[in-house]
Amino acid sequence: MTWTKKHTQLNDIFSDLVPNKEGITKYVRDAGLKPQFIDTSGNAMDVWSNVISEAEKNSKVDNLVRSMLTTYPDNSFLKSALNSGEIDFSLSPDIDETSFWEEVSDDTLEVLTMEQSSLLPVNFLAKGVLKSKSVGKVEVKIGSSNYSVGTGFLFKISGIDDVFFITNYHVIHNREDIERTRIIFDFELDINGDSLPSRSFKIDPNGPWYCSEIKEYDATIFKLIDQDSTLAEFGWIDLKEIEITKNDFVNIIQHPKGEMKKISLYHNIVTHKDERVVQYLTDTQRGSSGSPVFNSDWEVVALHHSGGGSRPGEPALPSGIKSRNEGIFINNIIQFFTENHQNI
């Protein structure tokens, strides 16, 4: 069969929703496929790839999607898979292609499971809410009705007066996409569970445009048009050089799959840090690319850019915890931005 973009994205979605191989057989049977014809070697993503190939061969891809919808009826990407040729969202780069993945050590697992208290002062929540105001959804229109989605945030750096917005290079880097892009704030629920009135802003096509490719810092930085002088209501996050070490905890504010704003809180733990990247265990999904990764003081330590399931041979993790998440160390982003902004 010819493997298309739709197959790739279905593979990503299925793997996010059902990351354990043991849970896949149910959907195979519900779709009218025969489990004995599916190669179940490798990890869950590999198995899902084999399932999709078998479904395509038997013209039952839609059946497979419908079987998933019985469990996840509100998933927007599953629903769109039945109505359009492609499901569009920003695909994270493969960690294996951009950097070395450091496996999770035994001492990290000990901290994660029992050794470290997760008690925090109650103002931790209030500070997080304030920071979340500056996080927005990135939406790039693709074709007539599809959208590619990501996350980003408003920021300032000491010594530079203007407020900028940052997301991943792999979310947007082509100036030709500026007119088709909007940045949406307050796309979230209020304390009563009702939708807030969201507001969107366009990218300033005449403003600064700083891009660092995926294998460097995977970042795109620009300014937004503040036509009605309302952007200040969303504040900004002050970026400063920071220290982060293995076994520190991190938190991520994100728009997973382009959905309403969510937060991934403890226990998210740093498994590795080097000069370029920070790697951590947490729960992210497609659309989380470009999210700010915070420490326990709500200081940004990284720009999230990639995540995925564990690989064969990696240590077993507690149920529900994903491995292989990575962000670009924020000190690199600050240096990249400062050097480029000083040169204009």
Side-chain angles (χ1 to χ4, degrees):
M1 60 167 281
T2 301
W3 193 264
T4 67
K5 180 180 179 181
K6 178 177 179 178
H7 295 130
T8 298
Q9 295 183 332
L10 281 174
N11 196 26
D12 285 325
I13 294 164
F14 293 163
S15 300
D16 279 336
L17 294 175
V18 184
N20 299 312
K21 292 197 297 185
E22 294 75 16
I24 296 176
T25 304
K26 170 188 181 301
Y27 300 101
V28 171
R29 289 199 176 100
D30 289 349
L33 299 170
K34 296 181 178 180
Q36 61 266 33
F37 292 159
I38 309 294
D39 181 0
T40 58
S41 59
N43 58 35
M45 185 169 284
D46 296 329
V47 177
W48 273 120
S49 176
N50 296 331
V51 171
I52 292 169
S53 295
E54 184 68 15
E56 181 66 32
K57 185 169 65 175
N58 291 279
S59 301
K60 291 185 176 180
V61 172
D62 283 357
N63 289 12
L64 187 60
V65 174
R66 291 189 185 97
S67 74
M68 294 288 286
L69 278 168
T70 60
T71 306
Y72 307 98
D74 298 323
N75 187 283
S76 58
F77 292 107
L78 290 176
K79 289 188 287 188
S80 69
L82 297 176
N83 300 318
S84 62
E86 292 183 349
I87 311 161
D88 284 295
F89 55 90
S90 299
L91 291 173
S92 300
D94 188 336
I95 292 175
D96 292 332
E97 295 181 357
T98 58
S99 55
F100 174 77
W101 175 255
E102 186 70 31
E103 292 187 354
V104 183
S105 63
D106 290 339
D107 65 299
T108 295
L109 288 178
E110 289 178 5
V111 172
L112 179 66
T113 55
M114 64 182 71
E115 295 296 328
Q116 182 76 23
S117 171
S118 59
L119 292 174
L120 293 166
V122 71
N123 68 354
F124 175 85
L125 299 175
K127 290 179 180 179
V129 170
L130 288 177
K131 298 289 184 180
S132 74
K133 292 290 292 181
S134 303
V135 178
K137 174 183 173 182
V138 182
E139 188 176 87
V140 185
K141 189 171 184 179
I142 306 295
S144 59
S145 59
N146 292 338
Y147 294 87
S148 175
V149 296
T151 304
F153 60 95
L154 294 164
F155 74 91
K156 284 186 73 172
I157 290 178
S158 178
I160 300 175
D161 291 334
D162 292 336
V163 176
F164 292 81
F165 190 89
I166 184 171
T167 187
N168 284 143
Y169 178 93
H170 76 261
V171 172
I172 180 173
H173 62 269
N174 192 336
R175 279 184 173 270
E176 294 180 0
D177 292 331
I178 288 177
E179 286 299 316
R180 297 191 294 272
T181 302
R182 60 177 183 159
I183 310 300
I184 306 169
F185 295 98
D186 277 351
F187 186 54
E188 57 190 273
L189 300 177
D190 64 16
I191 59 173
N192 298 313
D194 298 321
S195 301
L196 287 174
S198 60
R199 278 180 281 177
S200 64
F201 295 80
K202 302 292 288 184
I203 299 172
D204 184 353
N206 301 313
W209 183 259
Y210 307 131
C211 293
S212 177
E213 295 185 358
I214 292 173
K215 290 190 176 182
E216 190 182 20
Y217 303 136
D218 195 9
T220 298
I221 299 172
F222 46 82
K223 294 185 68 174
L224 302 179
I225 298 174
D226 189 13
Q227 190 169 358
D228 298 322
S229 300
T230 57
L231 189 61
E233 296 177 23
F234 302 99
W236 62 80
I237 298 171
D238 287 311
L239 296 187
K240 60 182 180 179
E241 293 194 358
I242 202 77
E243 290 298 323
I244 186 77
T245 61
K246 179 182 173 184
N247 294 348
D248 284 350
F249 288 115
V250 292
N251 313 292
I252 301 180
I253 298 175
Q254 56 189 295
H255 284 279
K257 298 180 295 183
E259 295 175 351
M260 288 190 172
K261 192 182 298 176
K262 296 180 181 179
I263 183 169
S264 178
L265 285 170
Y266 285 29
H267 277 115
N268 307 320
I269 193 167
V270 173
T271 60
H272 169 73
K273 183 264 174 184
D274 59 30
E275 291 183 356
R276 177 176 173 269
V277 301
V278 180
Q279 295 174 344
Y280 37 89
L281 306 180
T282 188
D283 192 10
T284 59
Q285 294 178 313
R286 309 299 176 180
S288 300
S289 295
S291 302
V293 182
F294 297 95
N295 62 16
S296 297
D297 293 321
W298 290 108
E299 299 166 317
V300 177
V301 299
L303 176 70
H304 177 76
H305 85 132
S306 187
S310 60
R311 293 292 189 262
E314 289 183 352
L317 299 175
S319 176
I321 295 177
K322 282 188 179 180
S323 166
R324 304 179 65 79
N325 280 278
E326 181 180 273
I328 303 297
F329 187 33
I330 201 62
N331 292 9
N332 293 321
I333 301 290
I334 293 172
Q335 182 177 0
F336 163 76
F337 170 73
T338 304
E339 290 177 353
N340 279 273
H341 193 62
Q342 289 175 345
N343 290 332
I344 64 170

